[in-house]
Amino acid sequence: MSDGASAANDFVHEPGLSKEEIALRYSKWAQGAQYEKDLSEENYKGPTITADVLAELFPYEDSRGDVYILDVAAGSGFVGEKLVQKGFKTLDALEPSEGMLNLAKGKGIYTRTFQTFLNGTSSFIQSDFYDVALTSGGMGEGHIPCSGLEELIRVVKPGGLAVIVMRETYLTSVVEYKDRLEPRMKELELEGKWTSVMRRVVPKYSFENNGVVFVFRVL
């Protein structure tokens, strides 16, 4: 593991930053493709984990090309690349950092891209539109708030899936999520907004830290 890569990751998860400051830090990290070097698969297995889960949820490879996916907090497009390798072809990207989004655009794998935040207020993305909305690495200090869950639900068709892949320790170390994120997930289930399909702890998600995968079916 690279100490420099871990420090760079900590730099964009520093407490007390506004979401705009975090987006700027990501843009700085994107320069010279440093982000892609730092978050190689050796350090960050989130994209592979996410693609494997999607492949498990859509086991018939010949139908994956018809699954319309929104990659939230897409970064430089790591998850999108892994999904394409699995046969998923119809992808949009939502990413607030201009520098990151430029890297993602350069890969030619996204049909549409949106430079915006997922922060609980209705974006200009259509409601009930996607088969899947997913985020890998989008949850963290100063990142997607608990209120963003409702936006994930809003943009997914009834019967579609919302997928969240994140570092397990963030459930307790991030103030926004501690005693709030999973209870809010449960509240949304009780409200009839979605139903839980999967909660799975996965090893070595990032920098030797375990990850946790949440999958919900939107109702």
Side-chain angles (χ1 to χ4, degrees), residues 194-208:
W194 64 14
T195 185
S196 178
V197 174
M198 180 190 300
R199 186 195 190 278
R200 177 186 296 170
V201 175
V202 290
K204 296 185 177 180
Y205 160 75
S206 66
F207 300 101
E208 304 301 319

Side-chain angles (χ1 to χ4, degrees), residues 129-210:
F129 189 77
Y130 292 97
D131 299 300
V132 179
L134 62 84
T135 184
S136 174
M139 310 295 287
E141 186 68 53
H143 286 53
I144 296 172
C146 293
S147 58
L149 299 178
E150 290 165 88
E151 269 295 273
L152 287 180
I153 292 170
R154 185 185 68 77
V155 301
V156 173
K157 300 173 183 175
L161 299 172
V163 179
I164 298 166
V165 186
M166 61 183 288
R167 190 183 291 196
E168 186 185 24
T169 57
Y170 287 166
L171 292 171
T172 53
S173 66
V174 174
V175 173
E176 171 69 14
Y177 304 151
K178 185 178 180 181
D179 301 323
R180 295 188 68 225
L181 182 61
E182 288 197 273
R184 183 59 186 143
M185 290 173 171
K186 185 63 178 177
E187 285 175 1
L188 290 167
E189 194 164 8
L190 293 173
E191 291 168 11
K193 301 291 182 62
W194 64 14
T195 185
S196 178
V197 174
M198 180 190 300
R199 186 195 190 278
R200 177 186 296 170
V201 175
V202 290
K204 296 185 177 180
Y205 160 75
S206 66
F207 300 101
E208 304 301 319
N209 296 285
N210 286 349

Side-chain angles (χ1 to χ4, degrees), residues 26 35 44 50 69-80 83 91-97 101 110 112-114 116-120 123 125 130 132-139 143-145 148-149 151-153 155-156 161-165 205:
Y26 270 109
Y35 171 86
Y44 179 43
T50 304
I69 299 172
L70 178 65
D71 183 3
V72 176
S76 67
F78 276 151
V79 172
L83 290 171
L91 313 172
D92 289 348
L94 184 154
E95 169 57 48
S97 164
L101 195 58
Y110 294 106
R112 301 185 300 170
T113 59
F114 307 99
T116 187
F117 296 93
L118 191 86
N119 59 6
S123 66
I125 298 173
Y130 292 97
V132 179
L134 62 84
T135 184
S136 174
M139 310 295 287
H143 286 53
I144 296 172
L149 299 178
E151 269 295 273
L152 287 180
I153 292 170
V155 301
V156 173
L161 299 172
V163 179
I164 298 166
V165 186
Y205 160 75

Side-chain angles (χ1 to χ4, degrees), residues 45-137:
K45 295 180 172 59
T48 295
I49 291 167
T50 304
D52 286 346
V53 167
L54 261 290
E56 179 182 337
L57 294 166
F58 295 92
Y60 301 107
E61 189 170 351
D62 58 354
S63 66
R64 291 176 189 165
D66 297 325
V67 179
Y68 205 163
I69 299 172
L70 178 65
D71 183 3
V72 176
S76 67
F78 276 151
V79 172
E81 289 178 299
K82 294 295 183 181
L83 290 171
V84 168
Q85 290 172 15
K86 295 286 187 181
F88 296 97
K89 300 175 182 177
T90 314
L91 313 172
D92 289 348
L94 184 154
E95 169 57 48
S97 164
E98 182 179 6
M100 288 292 177
L101 195 58
N102 286 338
L103 289 177
K105 287 178 180 178
K107 295 179 178 178
I109 56 177
Y110 294 106
T111 304
R112 301 185 300 170
T113 59
F114 307 99
Q115 188 183 342
T116 187
F117 296 93
L118 191 86
N119 59 6
T121 58
S122 289
S123 66
F124 44 80
I125 298 173
Q126 301 98 308
S127 298
D128 306 328
F129 189 77
Y130 292 97
D131 299 300
V132 179
L134 62 84
T135 184
S136 174

